[in-house]
Each structure stands twice: as structure tokens, then as C-alpha cells.
Amino acid sequence: MLHERTITELRLGLENGEFSAEELTRHYLSRLEGPSQDINAFITVTGNIALERAKKSDIDRSKGHAGPLSGIPIAHKDVFCTRGVRTSAGSLILDKFIAPYSATVVEKLEQAGAVMLGKTNQDEFAMGSSNENSHYGPVLNPWDRTRVPGGSSGGSAAAVAAGLCAASTGTDTGGSIRQPSSFCGVTGIKPTYGRISRWGIIAYASSLDQAGPITQTAEDAALMLEVMAGHDPKDSTSIAAGVPRYTDSLANPIKGLRIGLCQEYFDEGLDATTGKLIMEAVAVLESQGAVISEVSLSTTRYAVPAYYVIAPAECSANLSRYDGVRFGHRCENPKDLDDLYKRTRSEAFGNEVKQRILVGAFALSTGYYDAYYRKAQQVRRLIRNDFQEAFKTVDLLLSPTAPTPAFRIGEKSDDQVAMYLQDIYTISSNLAGLPAISIPAGIHGHLPTGLQLIGNYLDEARLLNVAHQYQLQTNWHKLSPPAGGTA
Ligand code: GLN
């Protein structure tokens, strides 16, 4: 089936003339109208735009101008601005917002020939770990429709897992690419902070946000990242370093590679079966010549608390722009300016977003700034130092991506701390700005489990290399959810 093929395989088929980009796009669009879309992975399907782009890609190819992703059907998380297309960030406040320009990432992928099928569902403003916070309703996990796909890039991960697009984009502020990738059995990489331009991506917490691809394989992730990464003068935090050809180093042997297991990531909070599956994956890497040792990241337990001060603080500033004046929703008949602000924001932000704005505004307020925000920033520095210490003795770190497999819809809705702890293994790398990848590493009952690798700054090539080598030895990434997947 076409939708089971990887980008690498699709590229071959397109090159050999086995099918055209238009045929491929029509195939995906028909799936988007079919039963698999019951998982609610898309907010907007852009069928006409996709067909136009696909036809153009076929013409370009016939003239010998095919780009690296020419004709490959992809989807963007709805947090990426896409010119002329609704960009909602999963929020009612932007439900009618048509972006006047495209994010740099969207443009780069378009220039590379990729065909956008539509925009994927997500937690409102990327706040969440389960995709239950979307104005457009929850996304269902294609492996089991009673369970969450993870969040906040749940639509993007579920769409790749369900064969609704060949690859997708996501953003990761505290785990939002990796945790849903783990829950949906796909590959997702969060690059080094600044590796991919944030220009045109609706901001959640600017010092943590980073975009990345979600794909079936590490090889596909390398292809996507080669296009997505790079310096952008429009984003002052983007890194001015050249982009390596990640695909060139995939085949490197990993013999002698030093992998550290962070003790604190295998604590009592980790589900036992998940832990066992991860240790089986470790054994695979060891059999390929990796040298395993234990390391300690003693600041781990402070990561979630520090994050839940810093991220809300930044979100309270970033979301102040949604005031009913310039963007999106505006309340009816405001009495005065205060009323306009209050009612617009009360009506159109969801509860999780409101709560975080309140927490953030509190943490930044006079008298509390030193006690909370400054303290959290200091903890952030310690976390970063901890990692740098670890990277003196190992090349990369390995851990589970999330403490459990996908949980049931509604299961953690009343327990915010349990929900926040979903990100316990992913958040530290955002606080430190480090790159990290999640790859499928086993099946827990009937649900996928993800393995996380964390690298040093700009070490994406090595993460992709190790992930690819692992995928050459295992089949977890090749498993697809059963049709209509339920428990
Ligand atoms: N779950 C985390 C949060 O809600 C991370 C979200 C993200 O990475 N966008 O903030």
C-alpha cells in the first residue's frame, strides 16, 4: 500500500515513474476522507492546494527539477503559519485566523517540493500531553481509539502512524514531538534549540519551543531535517551553523559509541514493562558495539517544576497579543477596552491555557519574580551543567521517552500533576536546549513504546545515525496500527 511506504520508498517510486505525485496525493486525500480519519488528526484538509502542488511537482520532475521531497505528501501541525490557510493553534481564539504568510519551515518544505495535505490537530497553543486540550476535540490514538495519542503534536504523530501523510511537522517545548511519537509508534526528533527557525510558528514558550519532523523512520527524519534546519535571519535565536547532510552519516557503524543510561530516568515512576522493553533495546545497541554505562543527572527531579514556572511565564507574555484587537476572536459588543480584553480572552481560551497564563503572570509579578522565575532559571542552568558533565564521559544518553504507554482518554484529566509528569524524561532536554529523538522500541500489550536518545548540542547527525542503526536491527518502526484499532 502506498501509504505504508516511507519517504525514501516513495521518492524511489516517484523517480521510477511507478506513480505520479498527483496519484500519490489523491491516494492520501482519499484516505483523509475515509474511515481512518475518525481519529480526528486533522483540523483542516487542503485538498485543492495539495493537488495543485502535486501537479506542479510532476511538471517540475518531468523537466528534471525535482526537489529532495518532490511530491511527498506531508502535514503541518496547526501551529505553523501557512499562507492563505487557517492556522488555529488548536484554539477557538484563532479559529478564523488565516495566516498572511508561511513559517520559514513551511516555505522550506514547499521549496523542497513537499505537498501539504493539511493542518493537524493539537493541544491548544501546544499546551498538553494528551491532545485533549484542543478546541477541535481530542485526537484518538490509532492503535487504540479509547486512548490518547500524546500531545501536544498528537495529530501529527497519529497522522503518520495511521498512514494519513508520509511525514508531518511538530513542535516540542517540553516533549510534544517525542511523547506523541512514542505513544503512536513513530519516529520524532526535537533538534537543538535554534537549529530550525521559529519564524512563523505560533509561540508558546519562546526559549523552549523547537520544531521537528515526525516520520516512520530515522532515515526519513534525516531527509526532513536536512530541509527544515538552517539559519534564518528572521529568527534571532536560530543558529548560524551549516546543515550537515544527515543522510550521509546514517550508515556509520556505532561500535565504540558510549551511551549513558541516566539512573534518574529509570526510577520508581517508570512503568515496569516499559523499563524492560527499553533494556531490551539497550541490549540490541550493545550487540552492535555500543558501550553502555550509567550516569547520574541529579537535577532531574527539578526539571518539571522549573519548566512549569518558565513555560507559563513565557506563555503569559506570548499570549498577551490575543486581545480581540488584532487577531482572531473578538467578543460581541464590548462595553469598553477592558471588557473587550476580558470577555474575548475568557470566551476563547480553554481552561489549560487560562490556568497557565495565570500561573505565568503570577510568577513574573513583582515580589514573586525572584522567588519563582529567577529560581527556575537558576535551576535551568544547573540542569544544563548536569548534561555537560555527563557528556564528558558519554556520547549520548538513552532513556524511555515517557513513563507509560498511551493512557486512556480522560484518565489523567483530573490529575494535573500526573499529566505533567508525562514529560519527566523529555523536559530536561528542552530546558538545556539539547537535541533528542524518540523511536519505536517495543510493544507493551497492544501499544507502542518509545526509546529516547539525547545528544549534545548540534549532534542531530549522531542521534539519527544511532536511531537508523537500531532500526536496521529491529522491526518496531515497521509495525502499523491494526485497522480501526481498539483495545
Ligand atoms: N506537555 C508539555 C506542556 O504541556 C509540553 C508541551 C510541548 O512540548 N509543547 O507544556
Side-chain angles (χ1 to χ4, degrees):
M1 296 292 256
L2 280 182
H3 57 268
E4 281 166 359
R5 299 199 196 181
T6 63
I7 297 183
T8 314
E9 291 161 355
L10 290 173
R11 286 209 316 178
L12 220 60
L14 287 161
E15 269 161 33
N16 299 338
E18 194 189 325
F19 45 84
S20 68
E22 186 181 342
E23 281 161 353
L24 182 60
T25 298
R26 284 192 193 280
H27 174 75
Y28 273 105
L29 289 175
S30 73
R31 287 185 63 72
L32 283 168
E33 284 161 9
S36 333
Q37 178 29 16
D38 70 337
I39 57 172
N40 197 25
F42 279 70
I43 292 176
T44 307
V45 175
T46 49
N48 291 338
I49 300 177
L51 284 172
E52 236 173 73
R53 298 268 318 141
K55 285 178 193 161
K56 180 173 177 301
S57 153
D58 284 330
I59 295 170
D60 287 349
R61 187 179 297 281
S62 70
K63 291 184 181 152
H65 299 320
L69 295 173
S70 218
I72 303 297
I74 63 162
H76 290 296
K77 183 177 182 180
D78 211 15
V79 78
F80 291 83
C81 283
T82 41
R83 189 178 47 253
V85 174
R86 169 168 65 177
T87 300
S88 74
S91 181
L92 172 60
I93 213 157
L94 290 177
D95 179 54
K96 299 198 168 56
F97 175 65
I98 309 288
Y101 57 81
S102 289
T104 298
V105 176
V106 170
E107 270 181 1
K108 279 177 173 247
L109 286 164
E110 198 171 313
Q111 275 158 19
V115 172
M116 176 178 82
L117 297 171
K119 310 289 296 289
T120 58
N121 202 346
Q122 60 164 97
D123 280 309
E124 185 175 7
F125 286 103
M127 298 176 199
S129 305
S130 66
N131 231 292
E132 293 167 293
N133 300 336
S134 168
H135 167 64
Y136 302 90
V139 178
L140 315 185
N141 190 314
W143 290 83
D144 176 347
R145 283 158 167 75
T146 66
R147 291 178 189 261
V148 304
S152 65
S153 312
S156 285
V160 172
L164 298 173
C165 56
S168 60
T169 56
T171 55
D172 191 311
T173 304
S176 276
I177 288 177
R178 291 161 284 159
Q179 186 248 19
S181 295
S182 167
F183 280 15
C184 293
V186 292
T187 299
I189 181 166
K190 176 202 97 73
T192 307
Y193 178 76
R195 178 72 292 194
I196 292 180
S197 166
R198 285 184 298 112
W199 197 78
I201 303 174
I202 294 177
Y204 162 18
S206 309
S207 77
L208 300 159
D209 295 345
Q210 182 59 200
I214 298 179
T215 52
Q216 290 183 46
T217 64
E219 187 175 19
D220 283 4
L223 282 165
M224 288 283 286
L225 193 59
E226 276 172 15
V227 172
M228 293 167 71
H231 179 244
D232 180 4
K234 291 189 207 139
D235 172 2
S236 61
T237 60
S238 97
I239 299 172
V243 180
R245 295 239 334 166
Y246 299 115
T247 40
D248 284 352
S249 44
L250 292 175
N252 293 350
I254 60 166
K255 192 166 165 31
L257 181 91
R258 298 167 305 165
I259 297 181
L261 304 184
C262 166
Q263 288 164 32
E264 289 80 1
Y265 288 24
F266 291 85
D267 63 358
E268 72 279 5
L270 176 63
D271 162 81
T273 309
T274 305
K276 190 171 143 282
L277 290 169
I278 299 304
M279 291 318 290
E280 283 169 20
V282 170
V284 171
L285 291 167
E286 213 168 4
S287 75
Q288 292 173 279
V291 181
I292 312 293
S293 63
E294 276 204 355
V295 297
S296 170
L297 295 172
S298 59
T299 52
T300 298
R301 66 201 176 101
Y302 304 116
V304 172
Y307 174 89
Y308 279 101
V309 171
I310 294 168
E314 293 185 18
C315 104
S316 73
N318 275 326
L319 271 57
S320 64
R321 74 192 71 188
Y322 307 105
D323 55 6
V325 178
R326 288 167 300 173
F327 302 93
H329 178 77
R330 173 183 299 176
C331 69
E332 302 263 343
N333 307 318
K335 278 201 313 279
D336 52 28
L337 194 58
D338 263 357
D339 187 41
L340 169 75
Y341 291 160
K342 278 190 195 147
R343 274 203 292 128
T344 297
R345 291 165 69 83
S346 308
E347 284 167 15
F349 282 141
N351 284 342
E352 185 67 29
V353 171
K354 282 180 189 159
Q355 208 172 113
R356 294 198 191 192
I357 292 173
L358 288 173
V359 169
F362 175 80
L364 290 175
S365 56
T366 323
Y368 294 106
Y369 181 92
D370 283 342
Y372 297 108
Y373 188 72
R374 188 187 304 279
K375 181 74 50 71
Q377 291 289 22
Q378 287 165 340
V379 169
R380 185 174 190 176
R381 167 60 63 168
L382 295 178
I383 290 172
R384 196 188 135 109
N385 293 350
D386 238 8
F387 276 114
Q388 286 316 304
E389 210 38 53
F391 286 128
K392 285 185 185 155
T393 56
V394 295
D395 300 309
L396 45 84
L397 297 160
L398 184 152
S399 75
T401 305
T404 63
F407 47 92
R408 286 186 195 286
I409 294 172
E411 185 180 324
K412 295 193 196 295
S413 308
D414 297 329
D415 187 349
Q416 206 154 34
V417 172
M419 188 71 96
Y420 289 179
L421 285 173
Q422 270 300 310
D423 299 316
I424 186 147
Y425 309 136
T426 49
I427 267 179
S428 296
S429 38
N430 295 80
L431 288 168
L434 295 166
I437 190 169
S438 177
I439 52 174
I443 293 287
H444 181 310
H446 62 297
L447 300 167
T449 292
L451 157 84
Q452 174 178 238
L453 299 167
I454 306 173
N456 209 342
Y457 297 112
L458 292 179
D459 219 359
E460 287 82 6
R462 180 147 32 197
L463 291 181
L464 291 161
N465 165 219
V466 178
H468 179 68
Q469 290 301 313
Y470 177 76
Q471 291 183 340
L472 290 177
Q473 297 297 317
T474 54
N475 281 324
W476 304 118
H477 60 290
K478 292 192 182 143
L479 303 179
S480 308
T486 38

